Amino acid sequence: MQRHKRSVLAVSAVVLLLFAVVSANSISLKSKEEYYQGQEMELEQQIKEEKARAEEIEELREYVGTDQYVEDVAREKLGLIHENEIILKEK
């Protein structure tokens, strides 16, 4: 009978130890999961920003190929105007 009690106690100790280890690992995994979910949200936000940036770049690329762009650059950088335009300057 004494031997049976020791065996039950030993098995109970092992089960308790396994439960403690599994609980500790579970807590660690939950912490990692929260961290990775935060990273995932951050990366999704970066993806959205990069897609918006790519759209802006594409729009700018299309605009640069237009006559309006050439006219705007000539007006701003070179100070050119159309023949029938009047320029008003502030005093």
Side-chain angles (χ1 to χ4, degrees):
M1 196 60 150
Q2 192 67 293
R3 195 169 189 188
H4 179 65
K5 286 183 181 181
R6 286 184 188 165
S7 296
V8 169
L9 188 59
V11 169
S12 297
V14 169
V15 168
L16 199 60
L17 180 63
L18 284 173
F19 179 74
V21 169
V22 168
S23 294
N25 283 339
S26 174
I27 292 170
S28 173
L29 287 174
K30 284 183 182 184
S31 172
K32 285 181 182 179
E33 180 185 22
E34 289 174 3
Y35 172 74
Y36 289 136
Q37 283 178 345
Q39 265 192 329
E40 181 181 12
M41 287 175 29
E42 185 178 317
L43 291 172
E44 286 174 355
Q45 181 62 33
Q46 286 179 0
I47 288 171
K48 287 179 185 176
E49 290 171 0
E50 289 301 318
K51 284 182 179 179
R53 185 170 169 246
E55 255 183 59
E56 289 176 11
I57 290 171
E58 181 61 26
E59 289 173 5
L60 180 62
R61 186 185 70 77
E62 290 173 4
Y63 171 65
V64 166
T66 64
D67 290 340
Q68 183 64 41
Y69 172 76
V70 173
E71 188 176 311
D72 291 343
V73 169
R75 182 182 311 271
E76 290 174 20
K77 305 285 183 189
L78 304 175
L80 299 178
I81 59 170
H82 289 285
E83 289 180 13
N84 57 352
E85 250 181 336
I86 300 172
I87 297 179
L88 301 176
K89 294 185 180 181
E90 285 186 46
K91 287 187 178 181

